[in-house]
Amino acid sequence: MAMTWKARLGAMLVAAAATLGLGGTASAQDYTFGWNPRSGDVWVDTWLTDVNRYGARYRDPFVDEMVRYYGAPRELVNELLGERRWAPGDVYFACSIASALGRPCRYVADMWERDHALGWGEVAKNLGIKPGSTEFHQLKKGFVPSYDRWGRDITIDADLARDFPGRPRDPGKVKAAQANKHHADNGKAATHGNAKNGSAGKAKGNAGSKGAAGKSDAQPKGQGNGNQDAKGQGKGKG
């Protein structure tokens, strides 16, 4: 009996942490169905895993995305993430498939809850969306605007590159290259500035030395005039 009570308390604490957005990124064992999407597309599986990280850390923007852009009821999304302890990636894909089919998100969620052992690829196929089909491609394409709205980088594969011409395949690498170039340019500017200041200081030092030398040369000349005056005075006395 004590173990049952502890198990219930543990489940309540996990649900509370998910509801409040605590605990950072959850692990697979924290989710009711674990985590093994098996969508039939490696790229989709990779980014659904990243959706887990985002949804666990930034719950409010994740829920807003599901509600505003995929037509899911806010109450349902919060229930799936909290009380029912779904992985954010499962919530995202269920609502994404539902939106593509024109079905309520709850309809697809119920199917996933029943058939999750089959994996998302089979569940989607049973709903009429076969991996590799045009409809499945639209699901993949939908990741990109979601990530843009979240302000999060996403790497697109060759399959999606045609849909986003001119968009870098890996924006993370582009940003890193730009940052390195910026640091290099700053280093060159600093080196140039130091060299310029050094040259100016050297020129100023040379000018000062030259002025001091000129002053030194003028002094004996003044003394020579004084000697001539003294010579003249002696001559007058004679």
Side-chain angles (χ1 to χ4, degrees):
M1 191 70 175
M3 290 298 294
T4 302
W5 178 83
K6 286 182 180 179
R8 288 180 180 175
L9 178 60
M12 289 172 63
L13 290 174
V14 170
T19 301
L20 295 173
L22 301 176
T25 303
S27 58
Q29 58 265 30
D30 293 328
Y31 303 130
T32 299
F33 307 124
W35 178 246
N36 189 14
R38 291 165 295 151
S39 68
D41 187 295
V42 174
W43 185 92
V44 171
D45 288 355
T46 298
W47 292 100
L48 283 176
T49 301
D50 188 67
V51 169
N52 282 349
R53 289 189 283 269
Y54 182 83
R57 187 170 183 180
Y58 304 105
R59 177 162 173 168
D60 287 346
F62 174 79
V63 173
D64 287 343
E65 178 75 10
M66 296 297 95
V67 174
R68 295 182 62 187
Y69 297 97
Y70 291 92
R74 188 176 297 273
E75 181 181 354
L76 172 63
V77 177
N78 283 322
E79 176 190 328
L80 293 174
L81 293 172
E83 180 184 340
R84 292 162 72 174
R85 295 189 296 116
W86 275 39
D90 285 337
V91 176
Y92 180 90
F93 213 48
C95 294
S96 180
I97 290 173
S99 178
L101 293 172
R103 292 272 197 167
C105 185
R106 189 179 294 277
Y107 174 80
V108 178
D110 288 344
M111 285 200 67
W112 175 247
E113 198 151 60
R114 185 189 69 204
D115 298 332
H116 61 271
L118 300 175
W120 272 117
E122 286 298 316
V123 171
K125 187 161 63 174
N126 291 339
L127 287 166
I129 300 179
K130 183 180 179 181
S133 66
T134 301
E135 293 78 11
F136 194 88
H137 181 80
Q138 291 303 312
L139 293 179
K140 289 182 65 172
K141 188 176 176 181
F143 278 80
V144 179
S146 288
Y147 269 71
D148 287 346
R149 286 186 286 267
W150 289 334
R152 193 171 178 87
D153 289 339
I154 185 169
T155 301
I156 60 176
D157 64 0
D159 188 32
L160 288 172
R162 297 187 298 270
D163 297 296
F164 301 96
R167 185 184 181 105
R169 293 275 295 274
D170 190 342
K173 288 184 179 180
V174 173
K175 287 182 180 180
Q178 290 174 342
N180 289 336
K181 185 177 183 301
H182 178 70
H183 291 318
D185 290 344
N186 285 345
K188 288 179 182 179
T191 302
H192 179 70
N194 291 337
K196 187 175 181 181
N197 291 337
S199 299
K202 185 176 180 181
K204 188 174 181 180
N206 290 339
S209 298
K210 188 174 180 181
K215 186 175 181 181
S216 177
D217 293 343
Q219 186 63 28
K221 186 175 181 181
Q223 290 175 354
N225 290 339
N227 290 339
Q228 289 176 3
D229 292 340
K231 187 176 180 181
Q233 289 174 359
K235 190 174 182 179
K237 283 183 181 181

